[in-house]
Amino acid sequence: LVRSKSLVELDLSGNKIGRSGCHNLTQTLLQIGGGYLRTLDLSNNPIGDEAVQYLASFLKINPNLQTLNLGNVGAGTRALVFLANSLHANTNLTHLDISRPLCPDKNDEETTIHLAKSFRNNKSLKRLNMAKHRMREHGTMWIMDYIRTYNTTLTHLDLSSNSIPADGAKHIAKTLSSSDCKL
């Protein structure tokens, strides 16, 4: 892997890769400076908070990465906030799956709001999966504001299995009625 200049997609989903395995992978990716990697899928692996933080450092230095799937990896609020901070550096990401995080407090929308703020730098995101984020009205408002104000390229948004109330649905309707919305 260290010498690879042709690896553009790496799918390791569902392989029981843990924290240390993800740490080793990230160290290698950091060593090669990201190389030509465009797609990284680590979904359905129990990598946890610390490993997501390792990956966030990789995201900062790899402007080539376009697709990142971290769905169901055991990431909690702290790791997702760290990941959100690294998204400021990567503006080429077009596909992001951060579904099914471990959110300790079902009323805590801090993570969703922080992610929405970090997405503002990314004008190229086309697919975003935030299923099961325990998103409520305030988080929905922030995500919809991002889409309406900063992103005209998003064509796929998965907010399934959240707790979006009627007021949150109003924010979605307002966004969908915007002339710039491509959803």
Side-chain angles (χ1 to χ4, degrees):
L1 185 61
V2 173
R3 293 182 187 91
S4 177
K5 291 186 179 179
S6 61
L7 182 66
V8 293
E9 183 173 340
L10 182 58
D11 185 346
L12 296 170
S13 59
N15 278 296
K16 298 181 183 177
I17 294 171
R19 179 185 57 79
S20 63
C22 186
H23 180 259
N24 291 336
L25 174 65
T26 304
Q27 287 298 102
T28 301
L29 292 171
L30 287 169
Q31 185 179 5
I32 62 173
Y36 298 94
L37 194 61
R38 301 246 189 281
T39 300
L40 179 59
D41 187 344
L42 291 170
S43 62
N44 301 308
N45 283 296
I47 63 176
D49 273 352
E50 194 175 329
V52 171
Q53 290 178 20
Y54 300 145
L55 287 167
S57 3
F58 168 66
L59 193 57
K60 284 182 180 178
I61 64 130
N62 185 353
N64 297 322
L65 195 67
Q66 296 172 348
T67 300
L68 179 61
N69 188 341
L70 294 177
N72 195 30
V73 295
T77 300
R78 187 182 75 189
L80 289 176
V81 168
F82 201 85
L83 180 67
N85 290 334
S86 71
L87 291 172
H88 289 289
N90 187 316
T91 56
N92 294 322
L93 206 60
T94 59
H95 296 73
L96 179 62
D97 185 335
I98 47 175
S99 60
R100 300 176 307 254
L102 296 176
C103 297
D105 181 359
K106 66 181 177 182
N107 296 317
D108 177 19
E109 291 190 278
E110 172 191 342
T111 306
T112 303
I113 293 166
H114 204 80
L115 286 163
K117 287 179 180 179
S118 72
F119 293 155
R120 290 177 180 174
N121 287 345
N122 185 312
K123 310 268 191 269
S124 59
L125 201 59
K126 294 178 182 178
R127 297 179 66 86
L128 176 60
N129 186 342
M130 292 184 72
K132 293 189 177 183
H133 266 255
R134 295 181 175 162
M135 195 179 306
R136 303 204 37 82
E137 190 229 339
H138 202 60
T140 306
M141 177 188 74
W142 277 92
I143 293 295
M144 292 302 116
D145 178 66
Y146 154 70
I147 294 168
R148 201 173 41 258
T149 310
Y150 299 96
N151 183 301
T152 58
T153 59
L154 198 68
T155 58
H156 178 88
L157 177 64
D158 186 344
L159 298 178
S160 61
S161 299
N162 277 291
S163 301
I164 300 171
D167 286 342
K170 287 179 186 176
H171 295 297
I172 294 170
K174 181 179 178 182
T175 300
L176 292 175
S177 65
S178 168
S179 60
D180 292 330
C181 182
K182 293 188 179 185
L183 290 173

